[in-house]
Amino acid sequence: ADGENQTRITNNSVEDLEPVVSPNGTMLVFTRMNNPTFYDYEIYKSELDGTGATNISNNLGPDGNAAFSSNGSQIVFASYRNSNADIYVMDSGGSNVIKLTSDAAIDYMPSFSPDGTQIVFASQRNGSDEIYIMDSDGDNQTRLTENTEITDQAPRFSPDGSKIVFHSDRDGNMEIYSMNTDGSNPVNLTNSLGNDVSPSFNESGNKIVFSSDRNGDMEIYTMSDSGGFQTRLTEVSGDDTTPSFAVIWE
């Protein structure tokens, strides 16, 4: 978590993206481009060291944006499997796939609440990218942000369920924001000249990890939950993106 001991755990000719560690710290779920010709993105599950990678979505259309429920029993994700991007949930092994949204617009970037009763996600259903919330069975879909021609994306709950962090270009460039779970009191946490994206809390909720291009290319940073102590963790010529904290059980 301080940027030390960076270790490569996948080694493929195709892209591996969006890694998320299971709540018990033993498994990894991520997106892999199976077939670049057909943009065949699939959701894979592996051991924490990258071994034993298994395709658990097995679908011809793009799947991605996978995230575990707090007890690790379910995975929520976005999929184009029915010719439109909607939110789905499945058991952690890939079975019992259930479609939760059916809007004609694109729904994507879902994430469970800590108690597993709600899912927050991004959607274009009102003409711009906004943040929505719904019950974990798809009921009570409610819009939380409302900014015409503004992009609000990548929502994640705080561990205590009281806040949602997300990125938005409402101030001209992408910044990390925090708001209450009803959409009230949005606060710009990063206030940088670059683009800050893909925020995620640590287990205790006192730190946020994110990506930023403020120094030329996308690197991984951490900060406090209030936006202080912004610290760069990676420094390479390529882009480092979509970070998330891991809970490592001994």
Side-chain angles (χ1 to χ4, degrees):
D2 62 1
E4 296 295 325
N5 297 317
Q6 296 176 31
T7 304
R8 183 174 182 172
I9 59 175
T10 64
N11 191 357
N12 303 286
S13 60
V14 295
E15 296 177 345
D16 291 331
L17 312 165
E18 304 173 331
V20 178
V21 176
S22 63
N24 65 4
T26 64
M27 304 296 292
L28 184 73
V29 67
F30 60 95
T31 302
R32 172 172 290 175
M33 180 186 269
N34 261 2
N35 190 327
T37 302
F38 299 104
Y39 295 96
D40 181 21
Y41 289 94
E42 301 281 356
I43 296 170
Y44 278 71
K45 188 177 179 182
S46 73
E47 300 294 329
L48 197 60
D49 62 3
T51 59
T54 302
N55 185 343
I56 61 172
S57 59
N58 290 295
N59 176 54
L60 295 178
D63 297 326
N65 302 158
F68 283 100
S69 60
S70 58
N71 63 7
S73 65
Q74 289 186 305
I75 293 172
V76 66
F77 64 102
S79 176
Y80 271 94
R81 63 186 57 201
N82 287 301
S83 301
N84 188 73
D86 286 299
I87 306 301
Y88 293 75
V89 68
M90 62 183 170
D91 295 341
S92 61
S95 62
N96 193 29
V97 178
I98 300 172
K99 185 179 181 181
L100 299 182
T101 65
S102 297
D103 195 89
I106 295 173
D107 297 333
Y108 61 112
M109 291 184 172
S111 180
F112 275 103
S113 63
D115 63 4
T117 63
Q118 293 181 300
I119 293 170
V120 67
F121 63 101
S123 177
Q124 296 179 351
R125 60 183 65 183
N126 281 288
S128 58
D129 298 84
E130 303 285 0
I131 307 300
Y132 289 74
I133 196 169
M134 63 182 170
D135 296 342
S136 58
D137 61 3
D139 288 343
N140 298 316
Q141 298 178 27
T142 304
R143 185 176 179 176
L144 297 182
T145 63
E146 191 166 352
N147 300 283
T148 304
E149 298 183 357
I150 297 298
T151 296
D152 296 331
Q153 296 174 323
R156 291 290 185 270
F157 281 94
S158 62
D160 65 2
S162 67
K163 300 286 184 181
I164 294 171
V165 289
F166 61 101
H167 64 238
S168 174
D169 62 358
R170 62 184 64 187
D171 285 330
N173 62 307
M174 286 293 182
E175 303 279 5
I176 307 300
Y177 287 77
S178 172
M179 65 181 176
N180 297 330
T181 54
D182 62 0
S184 63
N185 193 33
V187 178
N188 187 338
L189 299 180
T190 46
N191 290 289
S192 79
L193 296 177
N195 292 296
D196 304 322
V197 297
S198 303
S200 181
F201 281 97
N202 68 346
E203 185 185 22
S204 63
N206 63 353
K207 281 188 177 183
I208 295 170
V209 64
F210 62 100
S211 295
S212 177
D213 66 359
R214 63 184 65 180
N215 285 295
D217 57 4
M218 278 290 177
E219 303 287 355
I220 307 302
Y221 291 74
T222 58
M223 62 181 171
S224 72
D225 61 331
S226 61
F229 306 102
Q230 295 181 30
T231 304
R232 183 176 180 175
L233 300 185
T234 63
E235 191 169 354
V236 297
S237 58
D239 288 333
D240 296 331
T241 61
T242 57
S244 63
F245 279 98
V247 179
I248 308 301
W249 288 37
E250 299 296 340

